[in-house]
C-alpha cells in the first residue's frame, strides 16, 4: 500500500509537470500575432521599442509586449487586453485591433488617434471596457458599438465626434458608465438609454444637444441605477419635471449652462441621496422650495446666473466641479 501511494504521488507530479510544460510552450493564436504585428508596423506607434520579438504574448526568454495581456484558451494563447495609452500614438484608429476577437479591455486613451472608429468594432463581442477618451477621433459614433453586449464601461469623451448619440447604445444591458463629454454631438439624448438597468454614470456634457429632461425620462422606471447625470453645457430647454424624483439613486445632477426655465419643483427634493445639484446659468425663476435646504445629503446647490427672487441662496462652498473621467473608471 505504501509503494502504491508513493507511485501515485510521483505520477501526479509528473502529470502536473507535463501540464505546466504544455501551458508554457503553447502558441499564440496566429490571428492575434498577425493583428498585433500589423499594429506594430503602423507608423507613429511609439510603443514599438518595447515590443520585442514577433509574438505579442512572449516567446522563450522574451516577455509579453508592454500593454498586452494574454490568457490560455485550450492549446493556444490569445490576447485579452490591450492598454497603450498616453504615448502620443499618431494616426487613424488601427483597424487591425478589431481582429483581436478575445479582447475584454481596449484602452487607447490620451493619444492622438484621428478619423472614425471603424464599424468593425462590433466584432469585439467579449469587450467589457472601451476607453478612447482624450484623442482626436471624428465622425459619428458607430452604432455597431451597440453590438458589444458585455460592455460595462464606454469612454469616448474629449474627442470630436459629431452627429447624434446612437440609440443602439441602449442595447448594452451591462453598461454602467457612459462618457460622451466634450464632443460635437447634436440632437436629442435618446430616451431609450433609460432602459439600461445597470447604468450608474451618464455624462453628455459639453456638446450641442437639445431637448428636455421630460423627454429623456419619459419611460416609466427609467434609469433605475443612475447616480450621476451630467447634462451641462448644452442647449436643453424646458423645466425640471417633478418626475425626476423617480430617479431615486441620483446623487449628482449637473444642469449648468443650458437654456432651462421655469420654477424648481418640490419633487427632486425627495431624492434621498441627492448630494450635488447644479442649476446655475439657466433661466430658472421663482423660489427654491425649503425642502432642498433641509435635505440631509445636499452639500452643493449652485444657483447663480438665473432669475430667482431675492433671498434665494446657494448651498455649500462654491468650488468649480472638476471631475474627470478617471474619477469614475472602475
Amino acid at each position: 500500500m505504501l509503494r502504491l501511494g508513493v507511485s501515485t504521488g510521483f505520477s501526479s507530479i509528473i502529470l502536473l509537470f507535463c501540464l505546466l510544460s504544455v501551458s508554457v510552450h503553447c502558441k499564440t493564436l496566429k490571428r492575434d500575432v498577425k493583428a498585433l504585428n500589423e499594429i506594430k508596423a503602423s507608423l507613429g506607434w511609439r510603443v514599438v521599442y518595447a515590443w520585442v520579438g514577433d509574438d505579442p504574448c512572449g516567446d522563450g526568454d522574451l516577455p509579453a509586449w508592454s500593454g498586452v495581456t494574454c490568457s490560455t484558451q485550450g492549446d493556444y494563447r490569445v490576447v485579452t487586453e490591450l492598454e497603450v495609452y498616453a504615448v502620443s500614438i499618431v494616426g487613424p484608429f488601427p483597424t487591425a485591433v478589431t481582429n483581436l476577437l478575445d479582447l475584454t479591455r481596449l484602452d487607447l486613451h490620451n493619444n492622438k488617434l484621428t478619423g472614425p472608429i471603424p464599424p468593425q468594432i462590433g466584432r469585439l463581442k467579449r469587450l467589457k471596457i472601451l476607453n478612447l477618451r482624450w484623442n482626436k477621433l471624428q465622425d459619428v459614433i458607430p452604432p455597431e458599438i451597440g453590438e458589444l453586449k458585455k460592455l460595462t464601461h464606454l469612454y469616448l469623451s474629449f474627442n470630436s465626434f459629431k452627429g447624434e448619440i446612437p440609440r443602439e447604445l441602449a442595447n448594452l444591458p451591462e453598461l454602467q458608465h457612459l462618457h460622451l463629454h466634450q464632443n460635437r454631438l447634436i440632437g436629442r439624448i435618446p430616451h431609450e438609454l433609460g432602459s439600461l438597468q445597470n447604468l450608474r454614470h451618464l455624462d453628455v456634457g459639453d456638446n450641442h444637444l437639445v431637448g428636455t429632461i421630460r423627454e429623456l425620462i419619459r419611460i416609466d422606471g427609467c434609469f433605475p441605477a443612475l447616480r450621476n447625470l451630467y447634462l451641462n453645457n448644452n442647449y436643453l430647454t424646458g423645466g425640471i419635471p417633478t418626475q425626476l424624483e423617480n430617479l431615486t439613486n441620483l446623487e449628482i445632477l449637473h444642469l449648468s449652462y443650458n437654456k432651462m426655465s421655469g420654477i424648481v419643483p418640490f419633487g427632486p427634493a425627495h431624492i434621498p441621496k441627492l448630494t450635488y445639484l447644479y442649476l446655475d446659468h439657466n433661466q430658472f425663476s421663482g423660489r427654491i422650495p425649503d425642502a432642498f435646504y433641509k435635505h440631509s445629503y445636499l452639500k452643493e446647490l449652485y444657483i447663480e446666473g438665473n432669475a430667482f427672487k431675492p433671498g434665494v441662496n446657494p448651498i455649500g462652498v462654491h468650488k468649480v466641479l472638476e471631475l474627470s473621467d478617471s474619477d469614475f473608471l472602475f
Side-chain angles (χ1 to χ4, degrees):
M1 291 296 292
L2 181 60
R3 265 183 206 177
L4 181 59
V6 172
S7 176
T8 302
F10 182 73
S11 298
S12 299
I13 293 173
I14 293 296
L15 178 60
L16 178 61
F17 177 78
C18 291
L19 289 173
L20 289 173
S21 297
V22 170
S23 65
V24 168
H25 292 97
C26 64
K27 296 181 179 180
T28 304
L29 197 64
K30 289 183 178 180
R31 177 202 67 201
D32 291 2
V33 173
K34 182 176 183 292
L36 263 298
N37 276 281
E38 286 180 9
I39 295 170
K40 180 180 177 181
S42 299
L43 295 176
W45 282 73
R46 292 178 55 189
V47 296
V48 172
Y49 74 92
W51 285 7
V52 181
D54 295 325
D55 192 335
C57 296
D59 188 10
D61 295 332
L62 296 176
W65 292 357
S66 176
V68 176
T69 301
C70 303
S71 63
T72 302
Q73 292 187 8
D75 297 330
Y76 293 92
R77 293 179 298 184
V78 296
V79 177
T80 54
E81 297 183 8
L82 179 59
E83 300 176 89
V84 186
Y85 51 84
V87 290
S88 297
I89 299 170
V90 178
F93 183 96
T95 303
V97 165
T98 64
N99 292 324
L100 300 171
L101 302 184
D102 292 290
L103 275 185
T104 60
R105 179 198 300 263
L106 176 59
D107 189 347
L108 304 177
H109 83 269
N110 199 13
N111 284 296
K112 298 178 181 179
L113 295 176
T114 58
I117 300 175
Q120 296 94 317
I121 195 74
R123 302 178 64 205
L124 303 181
K125 305 299 185 185
R126 299 186 179 183
L127 201 61
K128 295 181 179 180
I129 298 173
L130 177 58
N131 189 355
L132 301 175
R133 63 193 171 98
W134 287 108
N135 276 287
K136 298 182 178 181
L137 294 166
Q138 302 160 330
D139 214 332
V140 299
I141 298 172
E144 287 81 5
I145 290 180
E147 300 173 13
L148 309 179
K149 303 300 184 183
K150 295 186 178 181
L151 201 65
T152 60
H153 294 69
L154 177 58
Y155 298 90
L156 301 179
S157 299
F158 301 102
N159 281 284
S160 296
F161 291 113
K162 63 182 182 179
E164 298 188 352
I165 300 172
R167 285 177 166 77
E168 288 80 0
L169 297 184
N171 297 332
L172 302 173
E174 303 299 324
L175 193 63
Q176 299 175 17
H177 289 243
L178 176 56
H179 294 250
L180 304 177
H181 178 83
Q182 198 160 323
N183 281 285
R184 299 174 183 175
L185 300 171
I186 62 172
R188 287 171 163 75
I189 308 166
H191 70 269
E192 291 89 347
L193 295 178
S195 65
L196 294 172
Q197 298 295 302
N198 295 300
L199 190 64
R200 294 186 295 173
H201 185 96
L202 174 58
D203 187 351
V204 295
D206 284 280
N207 281 287
H208 306 290
L209 300 168
V210 298
T212 67
I213 295 180
R214 187 180 300 277
E215 293 171 336
L216 178 60
I217 62 173
R218 69 174 71 171
I219 301 175
D220 290 339
C222 65
F223 298 110
L226 194 64
R227 288 167 26 187
N228 308 317
L229 179 58
Y230 289 75
L231 304 175
N232 55 290
N233 296 80
N234 282 292
Y235 298 97
L236 301 183
T237 55
I240 299 176
T242 300
Q243 296 90 328
L244 195 65
E245 67 179 291
N246 296 328
L247 276 59
T248 55
N249 288 304
L250 204 61
E251 298 176 10
I252 299 175
L253 178 59
H254 199 345
L255 303 178
S256 305
Y257 289 94
N258 277 287
K259 297 181 179 298
M260 299 182 66
S261 59
I263 62 171
V264 178
F266 182 85
H270 287 145
I271 302 174
K273 293 186 178 180
L274 185 63
T275 308
Y276 299 97
L277 177 58
Y278 300 91
L279 306 177
D280 55 290
H281 298 94
N282 279 282
Q283 300 167 19
F284 294 117
S285 58
R287 297 188 180 279
I288 294 178
D290 289 342
F292 285 95
Y293 297 96
K294 298 176 181 178
H295 197 293
S296 59
Y297 272 83
L298 194 59
K299 295 180 180 179
E300 297 281 350
L301 171 62
Y302 281 35
I303 62 170
E304 60 267 25
N306 285 287
F308 289 117
K309 290 185 176 181
V312 174
N313 296 313
I315 296 176
V317 178
H318 279 45
K319 297 180 180 179
V320 177
L321 182 66
E322 294 181 347
L323 297 177
S324 68
D325 284 357
S326 59
D327 293 321
F328 298 98
L329 188 57
F330 317 120

